[in-house]
Amino acid sequence: MGLSKSSVGMGALDVGLEIHKKGKNDIVVALAGNPNVGKSTIFNAMTGLRQHTGNWSGKTVMSAQGYASYEGQGYVLVDIPGCYSLDAHSAEEAVARDFLCSGKFDVALVVCDALCLERNLRLVLQILEQTRKVVVCVNLMDEAEKKHIRIDIKKLEDRLGVAVIGTAARSGAGIEDLYRAMKEAASEDGGIPGKNTGAYQSPEEICRGTVDFEDKEYAADDRRKDRFFTGKKTGIPVMLLLLFFIFWLTIAGANYPSEILHRFFLSLEEKLMQGLCALGIPEMLREMLVYGMYRVLTWVISVMLPPMAIFFPLFTILEDSGYLPRVAFNLDKCFKKCNACGKMALTMCTGFGCNAAGVVGCRIIDSPKERLIAVITNSFVPCNGRFPTLIAIITMFFAGEAAGASAGAAFMLTGLILFGVGMTFLVSWFLSITFLKGTPSCFALEMPPYRRPQIGKVIVRSMLDRAVLVLGRAALAAAPAGIVLWLLANCKIQGITMLSYLSGILDIPARAMGMDGVILLAFILGLPANEIVVPIMIMAYLSEGRITGMNDMNVLKQLLVCHGWTWTTAVSAMLFTLIHWPCATTCLTIRKETGSLKWTLLSIFIPAVLGCLVCLLFHGAVTAFLAVL
């Protein structure tokens, strides 16, 4: 049960974390526990939205602090990373160990899962070696009751020698008892005396006679579900069907709200122009702000918000239900063959919403080399910003707008996603035998029990924690990009706009890839936000000095066909949309996460080169085939 040498006898450590107290008598609580025990639910139940987030000093590990008050006593909850033990094998576990050894808290609240208490107690016993000011929270007591698991809380408390509180955090049961226990533990010298603790040296001994499984087949239902969701014959097909269903709902449900938002923002333009005119703003500056910055910004919001409002809740439902770890299980063998980590499946899923969020999610991978592989390859999964371009091209040139078009578009989009996943496997394998050689690590993948998601909390969390965050990042990039685009479209060289001039320069290499200079320039100028690629194309083709949105797909298709688009152009554009450099936000996130300019540049260079190569090969193959015919 002893800790590693690096964590024993360390005394107080300076973890460089600022504690956000509101009063000098506030109790600082270290919230610890294994992953998937409901620690975040406890944290949210106590703090609500009174939270402060950031990174631990010197670490790319998220830090969350929250403030709570009960019966006049203030509590500062520090949510330390979930870990299975204090024998640190990752940055997250090192942060948890260092803080628990730092002496910067008044009481440690250790959350355990009532469904698998014995496994959780190993961490409890390790923390008890560091401090006696501990309160043990046995969470998910409601689920344990449903599965006929009986836990004698009083006997468990006697054996551990510290306060033990049973909770059901989702309903709020037991939270008030936690407050009282934490206040009492913080006020005692060394906590509650543990006179019996030394008699029980292992979690098995502590649980013997404390935990009673009345139904020996309590996990049978979960195992039956696992045979379906992770079975050799059913696991992958079910995963693909779920992916198709999510894309279909996103495509079918996002079009109408996007159009409403676009029309709403467009109706405000004239009022904005009049307001700026009344303020005495010069005409050129007015047009730059409204037709440049405002129009690009509102286009991004109109295009991104509706699909995110559908995709993120659906994704969060899969996460809350316990299905996402099963996705990692299904893909683990594929990643192992590529000398990569199976946890990449989870970071890839996060990348569907936002590649920047996917890069941040790579923190869950312990091996530095495998973490870099996951970071570099995350952009091969199309983010929410690339979906509109893919969907628009599929609808115009392949699926059409007839009945069943959404299903056809979803089917083609799923195929493109699978191609991107295949490229992820290929590049991961290449990196593992070249730049990032090493033996693939093994990891223990915990399968949480299947749970019924709480729809209300899912919607709030997915919109506030994910959609708003992603939309905010895109908006920060899109606003200045709109000004640059307006300048390029209105500044002329010998009567030719800078936009036309630059697209002319890029036309030769773009033609070799099956596209044209306008398309390639749109991708380059779309670096701040992928959502503005199609509007840039429209603006360049129409030679207008302002960004334009066409909501009628038939009119847009006619415009593209008049400028030489064919089905091969559409395929090349889709392939390049799928595989090209990450957006500016993702690049900045990679730089922050890796702390290296070299790996950031490599993360840009690899997909850029591969995207050009794939388009060259496709265009060359089609050209050769047509020549033979």
Side-chain angles (χ1 to χ4, degrees):
M1 293 305 303
L3 304 184
S4 60
K5 290 182 180 179
S6 60
S7 63
V8 175
M10 297 173 70
L13 294 174
D14 182 9
V15 294
L17 181 69
E18 180 184 356
I19 304 297
H20 297 271
K21 282 188 174 185
K22 293 186 177 181
K24 63 178 182 178
N25 295 323
D26 288 346
I27 295 174
V28 179
V29 181
L31 184 59
N34 291 181
N36 300 314
V37 297
K39 187 162 62 74
S40 296
T41 309
I42 293 284
F43 181 78
N44 292 330
M46 288 185 162
T47 64
L49 297 178
R50 293 168 294 180
Q51 301 173 9
H52 173 85
T53 59
N55 277 351
W56 294 80
S57 179
K59 301 281 187 180
T60 55
V61 177
M62 189 61 68
S63 162
Q65 290 186 41
Y67 191 83
S69 179
Y70 180 75
E71 294 182 346
Q73 175 63 59
Y75 299 85
V76 179
L77 275 75
V78 181
D79 188 9
I80 66 176
C83 59
Y84 292 100
S85 81
L86 298 185
D87 299 310
H89 298 288
S90 67
E92 285 79 6
E93 289 182 342
V95 163
R97 177 203 65 198
D98 291 348
F99 187 72
L100 288 169
C101 296
S102 69
K104 280 199 167 187
F105 60 91
D106 300 306
V107 61
L109 176 60
V110 190
V111 183
C112 299
D113 185 347
L115 302 178
C116 46
L117 182 60
E118 182 178 307
R119 184 178 65 215
N120 294 176
L121 285 179
R122 179 170 184 254
L123 178 63
V124 173
L125 292 177
Q126 286 187 330
I127 293 176
L128 283 172
E129 291 181 1
Q130 300 300 301
T131 176
R132 301 300 305 166
K133 292 192 173 185
V134 174
V135 173
V136 176
C137 168
V138 182
N139 193 30
L140 303 173
M141 290 293 287
D142 51 343
E143 294 193 17
E145 184 177 353
K146 291 177 183 177
K147 296 180 183 294
H148 304 288
I149 301 174
R150 309 299 179 193
I151 299 175
D152 190 331
I153 296 294
K154 184 63 173 67
K155 186 179 291 186
L156 182 61
E157 188 172 85
D158 290 340
R159 293 185 176 184
L160 290 174
V162 294
V164 179
I165 307 296
T167 64
R170 286 189 170 193
S171 63
I175 298 298
E176 293 183 354
D177 293 333
L178 281 180
Y179 282 125
R180 298 187 186 100
M182 291 189 299
K183 183 176 181 180
E184 184 177 350
S187 64
E188 298 228 7
D189 294 331
I192 300 174
K195 60 179 180 179
N196 295 326
T197 306
Y200 301 95
Q201 297 295 326
S202 68
E204 294 84 358
E205 291 177 319
I206 293 172
C207 287
R208 191 176 299 125
T210 304
V211 182
D212 180 26
F213 296 91
E214 295 181 4
D215 181 5
K216 304 300 181 184
E217 299 295 323
Y218 75 95
D221 185 53
D222 281 2
R223 300 293 76 78
R224 282 193 295 269
K225 292 176 182 177
D226 277 342
R227 284 194 290 273
F228 177 70
F229 286 113
T230 64
K232 290 183 179 180
K233 294 182 179 179
T234 58
I236 298 295
V238 169
M239 183 179 69
L240 295 179
L241 283 174
L242 282 174
L243 186 66
F244 167 81
F245 180 68
I246 288 175
F247 288 149
W248 174 75
L249 281 180
T250 302
I251 293 170
N255 291 333
Y256 187 61
S258 288
E259 185 177 349
I260 292 176
L261 280 174
H262 178 72
R263 289 178 178 175
F264 170 73
F265 288 129
L266 195 62
S267 67
L268 299 179
E269 282 191 359
E270 188 62 31
K271 295 178 181 178
L272 285 174
M273 288 294 287
Q274 292 174 358
L276 293 174
C277 182
L279 292 174
I281 306 296
E283 182 180 1
M284 180 178 177
L285 186 57
R286 291 200 307 268
E287 292 190 354
M288 182 172 64
L289 292 174
V290 176
Y291 298 142
M293 183 178 70
Y294 173 79
R295 191 169 281 188
V296 170
L297 181 61
T298 55
W299 173 277
V300 169
I301 295 173
S302 301
V303 169
M304 283 188 69
L305 186 57
M308 281 197 302
I310 299 172
F311 179 85
F312 279 136
L314 291 174
F315 180 84
T316 307
I317 287 173
L318 291 182
E319 186 178 23
D320 275 18
S321 66
Y323 180 70
L324 283 190
R326 273 83 183 174
V327 173
F329 177 85
N330 288 331
L331 296 178
D332 183 45
K333 289 184 179 178
C334 298
F335 281 109
K336 280 186 177 178
K337 290 180 180 179
C338 302
N339 296 327
C341 178
K343 288 183 180 179
M344 279 179 63
L346 300 178
T347 63
M348 277 180 19
C349 288
T350 306
F352 281 127
C354 173
N355 289 134
V359 169
V360 173
C362 294
R363 297 172 179 179
I364 66 174
I365 299 175
D366 299 338
S367 166
K369 290 184 178 180
E370 292 173 351
R371 191 183 308 126
L372 279 172
I373 291 176
V375 167
I376 293 170
T377 59
N378 193 266
S379 63
F380 290 113
V381 174
C383 66
N384 190 76
R386 284 182 273 173
F387 281 154
T389 302
L390 292 171
I391 293 170
I393 296 175
I394 289 172
T395 301
M396 287 185 291
F397 287 89
F398 302 102
E401 295 185 312
S406 296
F411 181 80
M412 289 197 68
L413 184 58
T414 303
L416 282 170
I417 300 304
L418 294 179
F419 181 74
V421 172
M423 297 305 297
T424 301
F425 290 147
L426 178 63
V427 176
S428 297
W429 170 80
F430 173 76
L431 290 172
S432 69
I433 63 172
T434 54
F435 302 103
L436 295 168
K437 288 183 180 180
T439 304
S441 63
C442 296
F443 73 100
L445 180 62
E446 180 183 3
M447 293 293 191
Y450 291 96
R451 298 188 178 106
R452 180 179 298 175
Q454 293 180 301
I455 302 301
K457 291 184 179 180
V458 162
I459 293 174
V460 172
R461 195 170 86 244
S462 60
M463 291 302 294
L464 292 179
D465 293 353
R466 290 178 174 166
V468 173
L469 178 64
V470 173
L471 190 62
R473 287 175 175 172
L476 287 174
I483 295 176
V484 173
L485 287 175
W486 187 89
L487 291 172
L488 290 174
N490 287 274
C491 297
K492 298 182 178 181
I493 299 177
Q494 297 179 347
I496 302 175
T497 65
M498 287 290 294
L499 210 57
S500 299
Y501 182 78
L502 292 173
S503 63
I505 294 175
L506 296 171
D507 198 60
I508 294 177
R511 296 283 178 186
M513 293 188 289
M515 299 183 286
D516 61 30
V518 168
I519 301 172
L520 187 55
L521 179 62
F523 280 108
I524 294 173
L525 296 179
L527 176 66
N530 287 300
E531 296 78 12
I532 62 177
V533 169
V534 172
I536 295 172
M537 293 182 196
I538 298 171
M539 183 168 63
Y541 284 139
L542 292 175
S543 300
E544 291 191 0
R546 62 188 67 173
I547 200 164
T548 307
M550 287 189 173
N551 291 324
D552 191 328
M553 288 295 179
N554 291 322
V555 175
L556 179 55
K557 181 180 179 180
Q558 290 175 8
L559 174 67
L560 298 178
V561 170
C562 287
H563 284 83
W565 277 58
T566 64
W567 71 269
T568 59
T569 312
V571 173
S572 294
M574 285 194 298
L575 289 173
F576 203 72
T577 301
L578 184 70
I579 309 173
H580 70 286
W581 48 84
C583 70
T585 302
T586 303
C587 293
L588 292 173
T589 304
I590 293 172
R591 177 68 176 86
K592 182 179 179 181
E593 293 295 309
T594 63
S596 167
L597 180 61
K598 177 183 73 172
W599 295 117
T600 304
L601 293 176
L602 192 64
S603 301
I604 299 171
F605 178 78
I606 289 178
V609 170
L610 200 56
C612 294
L613 183 60
V614 168
C615 290
L616 282 169
L617 291 175
F618 169 76
H619 182 63
V622 171
T623 302
F625 178 75
L626 294 177
V628 171
L629 292 180

